[in-house]
Amino acid sequence: MSNAFYLKYRPQTLEQLIGQETVKKTILSSFQNNKLSHAYLFVGPRGSGKTSTARILAKMVNCEKSTVYGLPSTAKQAEVGSRKSEDITIPCNKCKTCISITDGSNMDLIEIDAASNRGIDDIRSLREKIKLAPTASKKKVYIIDEVHMLTTEAFNALLKTLEEPPSHVLFILATTEGAKIPQTILSRVQKLDFKLATQGELLEALERIVKAETIDIDKEALTFLAKRADGSFRDGVKLLDQIAAMGEKITTKSLEQNLKSGEFQNILNLIKDFNDSALALLNINRQLESGIDAKALTLSLMDIFRNLLLIKNGVGEALVSPNFTSDKYQDLIKASGNFTNQKITSNLDILQKALEKLKFASIPQLPLELAVVEMCSLEQTIDDRKLKVVVEDSKIENREEINIPSSIVKDLSSTIYPPPSSSDSSDISKLKEKWTFVLETIRPFNFSLEALLRSINITECTQNKVLIEVPYSFHQRILEAPKNRDLLESIISDILGRNMGILVSLGNRPVRADDIANIEVAEDDEIIRAAAEIFNSDTVN
Ligand SMILES: [Zn+2]
C-alpha cells in the first residue's frame, strides 16, 4: 500500500499534530520548564499520533537549536526570557540532528517494536547498551512501541531500568492497550492519553494535503473520506493517497463507486464462503494482501449486510436499488436468500464490535478475522447452545444422585449458574478470564503469591470489593500482607477499571495432604509454616 503521503505529511512539530491538546500542553510546558520526565507512556488507539509525537519529542530534546533542555537552571532562566522574543520553533527540523531523526539515520534514537522483540534477552541487551553515552546527541531516546506485548520477564527487566535510568536516557513507551500495562510500570512513567481525531480535525488535516498536492476533490467528497477514516489520520491519508493516484476529479459519487466497486464481488464471495471458515479466512487475507485495509473491509461487509437487511424487509427497491447497477442489485437479492433477518442482525452486531476493537488492535486484521470465524460458526453456535443445556441438565441430575460434598458443589455452582446480580457476574467472569494475566503479572515479583493465587476462589464482586475465598489461614495471612494486598488490588482495579479492594475469607475446604502441592514454590519458611498448620493444627497454637 502506498505510504507516500503519510510519510510526507507526518507531523514534524507539536503544532502540526492533529488534536491532542492535553498531550501538547503537557509536553510543551514540561519542556519549557526543563521538567520532562525520564519516561513517558503514550496510550491510545492506532493512528492517533503516538509514534509521531514520540519522534517529535526525541527531536525536541536533541534539536541543536534548543537552548532550554539540559542547561543548568540559572542559564535556563536567562534563556527562557530571550527565547520568547526570538520565537524559535523547537524542533527546528533544519539542524543536522532533526534531519537525521526525520530520515531515520540518527544513532541515538532507538525504536523497538515490542511485538517482535518481546523477550527477556532483547530487554537485557537494551539494558547493556543503555549505559553507553549517546554518540552525537544530548540524549539517547528509546521508543518502545506496543509495549504491552513484552513478556512478564521482559517487563520485569525493563522495570529495573526505569527505576534508575542513566541521566542521558529518555524512554517513550507506547501502547494501544493501557489496561495491559502492569501497575509497577505505570507508577514509574508519566502517562499521556491520546484520542482519535474528531472528524473536523481530520478534515482540516486532509485539506492541508489536498492544497499542497493540488488534488482535485470537492468538499463533500473530502468529508466522505474523513468519515471513512474514522478518526485515524493514517487511514485518512492512505485513502487520499489511493484516490489521488487515480488522477481524475474526485466527487462523492466517484469515491463511492471506486471504494466499493473493486470490493463488491469479493465481498459477495466472502459472505458465500461463510459456511466454511477456512475459505472465508483465506478470502479476507487475499483482500488484505491486495492492499484493502481491515477497516475498509469491515465497513464494506457491514454495508453489504445493511443492504441485505433492507432487501429482506421489503425496502430494497426504494433504498438499495438506486445505489447499484441492476446486475449488482440482482446479486444482492440472490444473496439475501441465504440469510434470515436474525442472522443478518447478529452479523451486523459482530461486525460493529469488530470495528470498535479494530481501533485498539495491535494486529490490525485480527478483529475482522475473529468476527468472520464467529459469523461462520453462527449456525453451529445455536446447535451447541442446545447441547450445552442438555449437558448441564445431566450435571444437575448427577449432583443430586451422587451427593458430592457441599464444598465442591459450591465450586460447581459458581461456574454453572450465574450469580444473581448481572454486573457482579460479568465482573467475576472478567476477572476469571484475565486471571492468567494476573498470575503472569505477579510472578516476577512474588512467586509464592502467584502460586497461592492459583488455588483461590472468587466468590463475589461488589462495587468496590472482590471477595476471595482461600482454603487455608496462612493463605489469608499472605494475601493480607500489605505489600501483596496492594499489588493484587492494583491489578484487579486495572482490570475492572475502578478502585477495588479485596476481602479474604476462609473457605471450608477439607484438609488434605495433597493440597500441599499448591504451595510447592512457596518460600522455605512459608512451607514450614504451612506444613505446621496443615499437619499439626491441633498441637501448634
Ligand atoms: Zn533542530
Side-chain angles (χ1 to χ4, degrees):
M1 191 185 292
S2 170
N3 264 330
F5 281 2
Y6 176 57
L7 294 179
K8 190 169 171 188
Y9 292 101
R10 194 172 193 170
Q12 305 293 353
T13 62
L14 283 183
E15 279 140 41
Q16 289 171 8
L17 188 69
I18 308 161
Q20 319 302 352
E21 294 310 320
T22 321
V23 170
K24 285 186 209 172
K25 248 182 235 159
T26 312
I27 292 180
L28 209 59
S29 94
S30 321
F31 177 71
Q32 285 167 346
N33 295 309
N34 201 6
K35 277 185 178 158
L36 282 178
S37 165
H38 67 274
Y40 285 91
L41 173 67
F42 292 175
V43 179
R46 291 177 55 238
S48 57
K50 302 187 295 294
T51 323
S52 297
T53 309
R55 287 160 149 253
I56 293 169
L57 186 52
K59 279 183 196 171
M60 289 170 77
V61 298
N62 282 327
C63 176
E64 291 159 29
K65 298 273 168 60
S66 160
T67 45
V68 177
Y69 193 60
L71 290 177
S73 58
T74 46
K76 189 199 78 184
Q77 286 303 85
E79 282 302 329
V80 170
S82 65
R83 225 179 54 84
K84 264 180 192 159
S85 53
E86 286 173 40
D87 204 24
I88 305 169
T89 313
I90 301 292
C92 73
N93 282 306
K94 284 177 190 135
C95 69
K96 227 170 96 190
T97 308
C98 280
I99 289 170
S100 69
I101 291 177
T102 308
D103 69 20
S105 66
N106 189 295
M107 302 291 287
D108 297 311
L109 172 65
I110 300 103
E111 291 191 61
I112 300 166
D113 177 13
S116 43
N117 305 283
R118 53 197 298 259
I120 177 97
D121 291 337
D122 295 301
I123 298 294
R124 271 202 194 120
S125 88
L126 182 153
R127 277 172 62 193
E128 282 311 304
K129 288 182 204 145
I130 254 171
K131 293 174 195 153
L132 307 168
T135 50
S137 316
K138 294 178 223 171
K139 293 245 176 195
K140 250 182 167 168
V141 182
Y142 284 85
I143 300 176
I144 308 183
D145 203 8
E146 299 299 358
V147 68
H148 66 273
M149 302 282 277
L150 289 181
T151 61
T152 312
E153 290 79 8
F155 259 130
N156 198 26
L158 177 63
L159 201 61
K160 288 190 185 126
T161 314
L162 287 177
E163 262 170 359
E164 289 163 31
S167 60
H168 61 258
V169 168
L170 169 65
F171 273 104
I172 306 169
L173 316 178
T175 180
T176 46
E177 302 188 40
K180 287 194 181 160
I181 307 299
Q183 188 62 40
T184 43
I185 296 275
L186 291 176
S187 63
R188 287 171 176 80
V189 297
Q190 185 174 356
K191 181 166 164 264
L192 293 177
D193 289 305
F194 285 69
K195 295 180 190 79
L196 283 173
T198 65
Q199 212 170 300
E201 289 164 345
L202 209 54
L203 193 60
E204 220 173 278
L206 292 177
E207 264 168 350
R208 222 179 58 218
I209 300 176
V210 164
K211 231 177 242 167
E213 298 287 328
T214 55
I215 299 169
D216 199 2
I217 181 168
D218 62 32
K219 177 102 182 185
E220 194 194 340
L222 202 58
T223 311
F224 177 89
L225 264 190
K227 202 169 156 190
R228 185 98 172 202
D230 203 17
S232 162
F233 175 67
R234 182 166 24 191
D235 290 355
V237 176
K238 277 185 181 171
L239 277 173
L240 188 62
D241 209 345
Q242 229 170 299
I243 303 297
M246 297 185 312
E248 54 203 50
K249 159 105 186 156
I250 303 160
T251 61
T252 310
K253 194 146 193 180
S254 70
L255 214 51
E256 271 177 333
Q257 269 164 4
N258 278 299
L259 288 179
K260 235 184 244 172
S261 60
E263 301 161 21
F264 183 81
Q265 207 50 52
N266 286 333
I267 302 282
L268 265 195
N269 287 339
L270 175 58
I271 65 176
K272 276 180 203 148
D273 288 341
F274 274 6
N275 48 15
D276 184 335
S277 56
L279 277 182
L281 284 172
L282 284 174
N283 185 320
I284 54 169
N285 274 283
R286 240 189 346 259
Q287 299 202 48
L288 293 169
E289 274 162 25
S290 79
I292 297 167
D293 78 5
K295 189 194 282 172
L297 196 52
T298 311
L299 287 169
S300 301
L301 261 172
M302 292 178 79
D303 204 37
I304 292 266
F305 276 118
R306 174 176 171 265
N307 285 317
L308 297 186
L309 190 73
L310 296 173
I311 292 172
K312 269 273 171 247
N313 291 280
V315 288
E317 277 303 324
L319 297 175
V320 181
S321 154
N323 299 322
F324 291 91
T325 61
S326 64
D327 281 359
K328 283 182 181 169
Y329 184 56
Q330 289 308 317
D331 283 344
L332 283 172
I333 292 184
K334 221 183 280 168
S336 72
N338 299 328
F339 293 92
T340 60
N341 254 328
Q342 197 201 346
K343 233 167 154 186
I344 295 172
T345 48
S346 303
N347 284 341
L348 280 167
D349 260 358
I350 292 169
L351 288 166
Q352 182 63 48
K353 279 179 199 142
L355 197 61
E356 283 305 307
K357 284 184 197 151
L358 212 93
K359 289 179 189 163
F360 300 95
S362 30
I363 306 174
Q365 73 259 42
L366 189 61
L368 178 59
E369 288 173 336
L370 291 173
V372 164
V373 171
E374 199 181 338
M375 290 186 289
C376 289
S377 62
L378 212 55
E379 243 171 313
Q380 186 123 29
T381 322
I382 294 165
D383 293 343
D384 284 353
R385 216 176 285 146
K386 280 182 206 149
L387 193 70
K388 209 170 164 195
V389 172
V390 175
V391 172
E392 282 176 7
D393 279 350
S394 70
K395 270 189 193 160
I396 296 163
E397 273 168 28
N398 281 345
R399 185 186 64 177
E400 283 166 359
E401 273 168 31
I402 55 172
N403 200 16
I404 295 170
S406 65
S407 61
I408 295 175
V409 172
K410 205 173 162 202
D411 273 341
L412 265 180
S413 65
S414 68
T415 53
I416 296 177
Y417 304 110
S421 134
S422 65
S423 78
D424 180 18
S425 83
S426 76
D427 283 345
I428 290 181
S429 53
K430 210 179 208 173
L431 285 175
K432 283 184 176 165
E433 205 178 281
K434 297 245 171 164
W435 206 244
T436 317
F437 168 72
V438 174
L439 297 176
E440 276 173 6
T441 312
I442 287 176
R443 193 182 305 142
F445 305 106
N446 191 330
F447 278 106
S448 50
L449 179 61
E450 188 241 15
L452 182 163
L453 288 171
R454 290 182 182 278
S455 58
I456 59 110
N457 190 21
I458 300 168
T459 53
E460 217 182 307
C461 197
T462 67
Q463 189 49 37
N464 55 11
K465 284 265 183 290
V466 175
L467 270 60
I468 292 176
E469 208 177 81
V470 296
Y472 305 111
S473 65
F474 76 94
H475 282 168
Q476 191 170 11
R477 279 204 304 276
I478 294 174
L479 269 182
E480 283 174 349
K483 212 175 72 186
N484 294 339
R485 168 193 288 270
D486 286 355
L487 183 61
L488 185 59
E489 285 180 345
S490 71
I491 296 171
I492 289 178
S493 304
D494 262 4
I495 291 174
L496 296 180
R498 57 181 198 267
N499 248 339
M500 299 298 287
I502 55 167
L503 266 182
V504 187
S505 70
L506 261 185
N508 47 358
R509 194 160 157 183
V511 173
R512 278 161 43 221
D514 24 313
D515 274 317
I516 203 161
N518 281 332
I519 51 155
E520 61 188 348
V521 285
E523 282 155 28
D524 286 352
D525 65 331
E526 280 168 353
I527 291 183
I528 295 163
R529 254 194 292 135
E533 185 161 319
I534 295 168
F535 295 113
N536 311 312
S537 51
D538 294 334
T539 51
V540 179
N541 297 332

